[in-house]
Amino acid sequence: MAPAPLTVVLDFDGTITQEDTIDTLTRYAAHYSANKGVHNSSETPVSATSLMADWEDSVIKPYLRDLEEFERQYRWPKEKRLTWELEEAYLEDLKSVEERSIKRVEASPIFKGFVAHDFRTFGQQAIGGTITECPVNTDTGFDPSFPESSFPSPRDELPSVKLRKGFVEFLNHIPHQRMDWKLGIVSVNWSTAFIQGVFLGLVTRFEIFANQIDSDPNDSPTITGPLGLKTPLTTAKDKALVLGRMTERLSPRELLGPVVYIGDSKTDLLCLRDADLGIVIVDAPGQSSLLSTLQRLGEDVPHVGQASHTGTLAHYVWARDFSEIIDSGILEKLALKVD
C-alpha cells in the first residue's frame, strides 16, 4: 500500500532548538534599541545592559515569583495529579500566570518600535545567517525600522540559536519519503517573525503558528495570537486548539493522514496526546518534566529506537534528537500503518 501523507508538527523552543530562544530574542532587541536609539531619539541613550537589567527586574523576576506562588497555593500538588483531567485543569489554570507575564512584556520598553521585519532579521542573525535579502515587511505596513545594510553582525556579543542535533538532516529526510508530507510549527514564542528569520534560507515548507509582537515607534507593543485566538498563545490548551486548526489548514480533512507532534515541555502535553504519534524530545531521561508528567499519568513512553521495533506502534516515544528519530524509521512505519 502507498504510505499515507504525514503531517509533522513541531514545537520550536527546546525542541528544534537546543535551548529556549526568548532570552536571545530579547537581547537582540536590547542591543539594537541601544545602538540605534529606538527609544531615545531626543534623550540620553539607554545601554543594552540597562535595558536588560530593567527587563530582569520588571519581567523575569516577577514571573518567577508569580509562578512559584501559583505552584505553592495550587489545590492539587503534582504528586496528586494522577489523571489527565486534573493535569489538563492545572495547565489551563496556569493561563492567568502567563497572561500577567504577557502584560509585563507589553509594558516593557524593550520591544517598542520594532516591526516584523526586524524580528526576522534578529532570527536570521541569531542562526548565523548573513542579512542580504530579507522579505519586505508585509505584516504591518510599516517601513522596516532598520534596513538590512544598517545591521552589523554582533555575533561576538549576542547569543546564537543552536539547532538540535539532526534537525537539518530531518528536514532533508522528509522529502525523500513523500513530497506531500506537511510540516508545521506551533509555538508559544512571542514572535512568529523571529522564527521565520531562523529558517530563512533553510526551509520554505513550514507553516509557523506562534504569537506576533505588534509595535510602532509611538505605541507600546502588543502580543497577539495566531489563527483567530482571542488571547496570546500561552498554554497547552491554546496549542492543542491551534494544532487542530492548523492540521485542517494544512490538509483537508478527507486527505489528512496521521499527525505527528514533537515537543519538549508542558505546553506540548495536549498536542502530544491529540496526535497519532507524540515524540518527546529529552536531553536526558531523568531531566525531562514532560516525560515525567506522562509517566505520572500512567503512560508508557519507550525510547523511539525500542518502539520502532515492536509489533504495535506506541502512541508516545522519546528521543534525544532528530538523528534518533530518523534512524528509528518510526515515521515511515506510521505512514504505512493500516488504520
Side-chain angles (χ1 to χ4, degrees), residues 300 302-315 317 328 330 333:
D300 182 36
H303 182 261
V304 66
Q306 173 190 345
S308 63
H309 292 101
T310 60
T312 303
L313 200 62
H315 184 90
V317 298
S328 74
I330 198 167
K333 185 172 182 179

Side-chain angles (χ1 to χ4, degrees), residues 31 58 75 80 84 109 113 130 147 149 158 169 176 208 220 258 266:
H31 175 88
S58 64
R75 61 190 181 276
K80 293 186 178 180
W84 276 94
T130 302
S149 59
L158 295 171
E169 292 77 10
H176 290 307
I208 301 172
S220 297
K266 62 189 176 186

Side-chain angles (χ1 to χ4, degrees), residues 67-78 81 85-94:
L67 186 59
E68 182 181 10
E69 184 67 10
F70 174 87
E71 295 285 359
R72 188 181 67 81
Q73 295 188 357
Y74 195 69
R75 61 190 181 276
W76 290 99
K78 179 173 63 175
R81 297 197 306 270
E85 181 181 13
L86 288 177
E87 192 66 21
E88 188 169 354
Y90 159 79
L91 292 170
E92 187 56 19
D93 287 341
L94 275 170

Side-chain angles (χ1 to χ4, degrees), residues 320-334:
R320 295 176 184 85
D321 52 51
F322 290 92
S323 294
E324 291 189 346
I325 297 172
I326 295 171
D327 293 343
S328 74
I330 198 167
L331 299 186
E332 293 79 7
K333 185 172 182 179
L334 177 63

